[in-house]
Amino acid sequence: MIPFRALRDCLDGAIPGVVSTCAPDGTPNVAYMSQGQYVDSQHLALSYQFFNRTRQNILANPHAILGLIHPQTAQQYRVRLTYERTETAGPIFESMKAKLAGIASHTGMSGVFRLLGSDLYRIDQVEVVPGTTLPAPVPAVDYLPALRACMERLPATPDAESLLDTLLDGLERHFGIEHALVMMLDPGRARLYTVASRGYATSGVGSEIQVGDGVIGVAARERVPIRISHMTSEYAYGLAMREGAAPGLPPDTEIPFPGLAAPGSQLAVPIPGVREPLGVLFVESPTEMRFSHADEDALVALVAQVGALFRLFLAELELGEEAQPMVEKEPHPSGTPLRVRRFASNDSVFLGDDYLIKGVAGNILWTLLQDHQALGRTQFSNRELRADPRVRLPDQSDNLEARLVLLHRRLAERQACVQLEKTGRGRFRLVVCRPLELEDMDLGMA
Amino acid sequence: MPSAAPIHLGPDYVRFMTGGVSINTGSGGSDGLPSQCRAFGCRVDAEGGRITVFLAAPQAADLLRDVTRSQAVAVVFSDPPTHRTMQVKGRDARVESLAEGDLARVSAYRTAFVQCLLPLGFTESTVRAFLDCPDEQLVAVTFTPDAAFNQTPGAQAGTPLIPGAG
């Protein structure tokens, strides 16, 4: 049996592997490996950065030996490999590219290490080299019990918002992960928006990044976990991720991304959806080499459940709503009116001079406020919003729940005079404590 | 295999190869399958004409078999803090017993490599564990270098160290 956990530890460790090959005439070659990646129990991938002798040899004679040393036990392994193919795009390549950027930055090799391809090898045999070893240290986290403790609380959560809170609480309590956030995918705009976070000075709820940008964006685009063990500027997020202001827009509709200023390790895991991922769970730490393959395993298992529960919430809404008593029309509030502006060009909504939200969540708020203003309505359901053309959901499978979480959080954080209150499954109440003057800034411009 | 003239490695290279650097040895079998083993130090004779590396026989069983059969060997030397790396190859390799002074060389090598790796965050016990071998199990592989390459990562990687050779 292949000791794949040990191999993963070796490939993650700081001791570089050694690759031996033979030319067709039998001349041996020995070289140090920059990066190796565990693919599955039968395959691993080595980085192809230069057309060197190793590369020439494996194209002519596919046999190679990879020598590895376990970073904790010092156990040496020799992995007999057969070269199969090279990938220059896709999940394995992108995952290795991100990791290599981290290694290059860590080792002062930025600009020298550039991934040309991922060479995929079949694992033929793993030899445990005889020698002196050290006892394996007791890991800080016992992963299976931690995963169980985290997972068993998730199905008891009643809605998307408490699901995400429970997830982040569990990561902190059972895995000691102190900095984490969840971003959801807006497929229509190819952007991800933050809906929940832990461990940052500001929550960053509503902050956005482009799909493909940094470890989170690459994880979403390639649908693969991206884990880097060393800080690298190549995958860092600037403090303000700006979307390029469009003409006629108010200047500042950006919410700063909340991430650590100097992360040592980062791990982004896509939350699976039916087609595109629903979003990305992102964790980071100031400590280098903080997240192991085992952390990645645990987070992948957790987000599989999170994704399934999101779909369950959606299905429940399709099945029907809880009966809701008729509510008397609520009186309009009194006081100085607050000007609420909406810019149709990016669906942004400003309360007074303060930017609140944009995109589909901006449309949702504007729809609610219009109905409140015109009809005096305060009671709404997720289901009717899904069908309302003014909300302009990109498609029927859209994750409306996540957009409501975003809107709810933004209003709560801003302590706005408009709030959303959950009144039942898929239902909520709009609470307005000040008169509002709605102004559609782009009316007549179209 | 075509024959190649021996090359002469200057004192800077000799100092590098006999210092506290990572050393790995490779050979290959008649079936095209490579073999590999980590070495525990290196001796270069006074004229720079003969290179000897020290291996643990139980770890090196495949490599010793291949060297005995083919006499082809490749040895890579790398300094982890700087990534400076060179590879030396030979085609007349032999397996020998250790000579006088070699045990002291192995012992000095272990200490020097520990000193090299400690600042990088490795513990002495880890380094000493993977360099450990009972004295009576140590063997030597000795060869005349006929090619030497710069393998420091970068555009120059793979170029011969000595112009006209390799």
Side-chain angles (χ1 to χ4, degrees):
Chain A
M1 186 180 143
I2 288 167
F4 73 91
R5 282 194 194 186
L7 292 190
R8 299 194 318 183
D9 291 344
C10 292
L11 293 169
D12 270 358
I15 307 172
V18 179
V19 184
S20 298
T21 56
C22 284
D25 71 354
T27 304
N29 193 77
V30 194
Y32 285 88
M33 165 193 89
S34 300
Q35 189 201 357
Q37 169 114 339
Y38 174 84
V39 175
D40 59 40
S41 60
Q42 270 108 47
H43 296 89
L44 55 78
L46 304 182
S47 61
Y48 157 40
Q49 291 148 244
F50 309 100
F51 190 78
N52 53 21
R53 177 63 64 184
T54 298
R55 177 98 188 139
Q56 293 171 47
N57 284 356
I58 58 151
L59 293 178
N61 168 11
H63 302 295
I65 288 186
L66 173 64
L68 295 169
I69 299 180
H70 194 281
Q72 276 96 38
T73 66
Q75 174 68 60
Q76 296 187 58
Y77 298 92
R78 284 190 204 117
V79 189
R80 288 200 173 272
L81 301 169
T82 302
Y83 169 74
E84 289 190 336
R85 66 182 185 280
T86 299
E87 294 188 359
T88 56
I92 295 170
F93 177 78
E94 291 294 340
S95 164
M96 292 183 76
K97 191 176 156 198
K99 218 172 274 183
L100 186 67
I103 294 169
S105 166
H106 178 66
T107 55
M109 287 288 164
S110 292
V112 176
F113 283 178
R114 189 170 69 87
L115 192 65
L116 298 177
S118 299
D119 287 339
L120 272 102
Y121 290 84
R122 186 182 71 231
I123 301 174
D124 296 321
Q125 190 197 338
V126 180
E127 177 191 351
V128 178
V129 180
T132 300
T133 59
L134 303 172
V138 178
V141 172
D142 198 344
Y143 283 93
L144 211 47
L147 182 61
R148 172 183 170 162
C150 247
M151 289 184 94
E152 65 188 0
R153 291 183 60 212
L154 296 181
T157 57
D159 54 37
E161 190 157 4
S162 53
L163 169 66
L164 297 177
D165 284 340
T166 306
L167 170 69
L168 297 182
D169 286 346
L171 290 178
E172 188 170 3
R173 188 187 304 176
H174 303 294
F175 291 91
I177 293 173
E178 292 171 347
H179 307 283
L181 57 87
V182 177
M183 300 192 88
M184 302 308 281
L185 178 70
D186 184 342
R189 296 166 58 229
R191 289 178 79 82
L192 294 135
Y193 55 96
T194 308
V195 286
S197 71
R198 280 289 181 284
Y200 299 109
T202 58
S203 79
V205 164
S207 59
E208 296 190 350
I209 61 157
Q210 196 73 40
V211 168
D213 198 359
V215 296
I216 300 171
V218 174
R221 187 186 68 203
E222 302 295 335
R223 302 169 201 197
V224 67
I226 302 286
R227 182 164 52 94
I228 54 179
S229 299
H230 305 286
M231 171 66 178
T232 168
S233 54
E234 203 174 314
Y235 284 78
Y237 295 103
L239 284 178
M241 310 295 299
R242 300 207 171 274
E243 194 190 5
L249 277 190
D252 197 7
T253 63
E254 299 298 334
I255 298 164
F257 182 78
L260 294 177
S265 312
Q266 297 183 323
L267 167 59
V269 181
I271 303 169
V274 180
R275 292 192 300 271
E276 287 105 350
L278 290 173
V280 173
L281 169 64
F282 172 71
V283 299
E284 60 180 340
S285 163
T287 308
E288 299 209 317
M289 303 181 78
R290 164 66 178 79
F291 303 116
S292 65
H293 255 289
D295 289 292
E296 186 181 314
D297 288 343
L299 266 55
V300 168
L302 276 170
V303 297
Q305 195 189 19
V306 168
L309 286 169
F310 256 101
R311 289 175 61 193
L312 184 67
F313 293 141
L314 193 68
E316 280 180 351
L317 290 178
E318 297 300 327
L319 283 174
E321 296 154 8
E322 285 175 352
Q324 180 143 319
M326 286 300 289
V327 182
E328 291 290 310
K329 213 169 173 179
E330 295 179 27
H332 272 289
S334 58
T336 323
L338 179 73
R339 185 176 174 225
V340 181
R341 291 174 299 158
R342 184 261 195 151
F343 294 82
S345 49
N346 64 351
D347 303 316
S348 60
V349 177
F350 285 67
L351 300 181
D353 291 329
D354 298 331
Y355 165 66
L356 182 80
I357 204 155
K358 68 182 168 197
V360 173
N363 290 337
I364 293 172
L365 178 61
W366 193 246
T367 302
L368 301 175
L369 293 178
Q370 280 181 314
D371 283 2
H372 178 262
Q373 205 74 347
L375 310 170
R377 284 189 64 192
T378 56
Q379 306 288 332
F380 296 91
S381 76
N382 298 13
R383 196 182 191 189
E384 67 170 300
L385 283 175
R386 174 170 298 285
D388 195 319
R390 292 172 296 173
V391 171
R392 299 212 307 274
L393 279 185
D395 70 70
Q396 275 299 303
S397 68
D398 187 84
N399 195 345
L400 178 78
E401 288 276 307
R403 302 186 192 270
L404 283 167
V405 172
L406 168 63
L407 178 58
H408 177 229
R409 295 237 154 143
R410 278 293 287 166
L411 290 167
E413 279 181 10
R414 306 296 297 182
Q415 300 179 307
C417 60
V418 177
Q419 295 289 328
L420 301 185
E421 270 182 15
K422 198 169 167 63
T423 54
R425 196 178 65 209
R427 287 201 159 270
F428 60 91
R429 172 171 169 250
L430 182 72
V431 182
V432 179
C433 64
R434 228 178 123 172
L436 304 174
E437 277 177 12
L438 305 189
E439 240 181 290
D440 205 330
M441 302 306 288
D442 295 332
L443 268 186
M445 285 176 66
Chain B
M1 274 185 281
S3 64
I7 56 165
H8 179 77
L9 293 162
D12 175 53
Y13 295 124
V14 172
R15 252 194 317 277
F16 181 74
M17 293 188 296
T18 55
V21 295
S22 178
I23 309 172
N24 279 277
T25 312
S27 186
S30 53
D31 45 11
L33 293 175
S35 49
Q36 182 191 104
C37 193
R38 179 170 283 275
F40 306 140
C42 172
R43 157 167 48 93
V44 182
D45 69 15
E47 295 75 36
R50 195 88 186 151
I51 295 172
T52 304
V53 292
F54 310 111
L55 306 162
Q59 295 182 354
D62 290 352
L63 182 122
L64 297 177
R65 179 203 60 213
D66 290 344
V67 164
T68 304
R69 186 198 58 82
S70 72
Q71 294 184 286
V73 71
V75 184
V76 67
F77 301 84
S78 184
D79 179 42
T82 61
H83 311 289
R84 181 185 174 189
T85 305
M86 61 183 280
Q87 184 177 203
V88 182
K89 296 188 184 185
R91 302 169 197 228
D92 64 351
R94 294 193 306 267
V95 180
E96 292 181 347
S97 303
L98 269 62
E100 195 181 335
D102 284 345
L103 283 179
R105 281 189 186 88
V106 170
S107 174
Y109 167 78
R110 287 178 178 134
T111 301
F113 197 34
V114 165
Q115 292 309 314
C116 168
L117 291 181
L118 283 182
L120 300 184
F122 294 91
T123 63
E124 175 158 2
S125 55
T126 304
V127 182
R128 289 213 178 264
F130 68 73
L131 297 182
D132 192 34
C133 170
D135 290 348
E136 63 276 13
Q137 292 183 359
L138 286 166
V139 291
V141 168
T142 179
F143 64 99
T144 311
D146 63 12
F149 304 93
N150 179 346
Q151 269 182 220
T152 305
Q156 75 299 327
T159 54
L161 280 181
I162 293 155

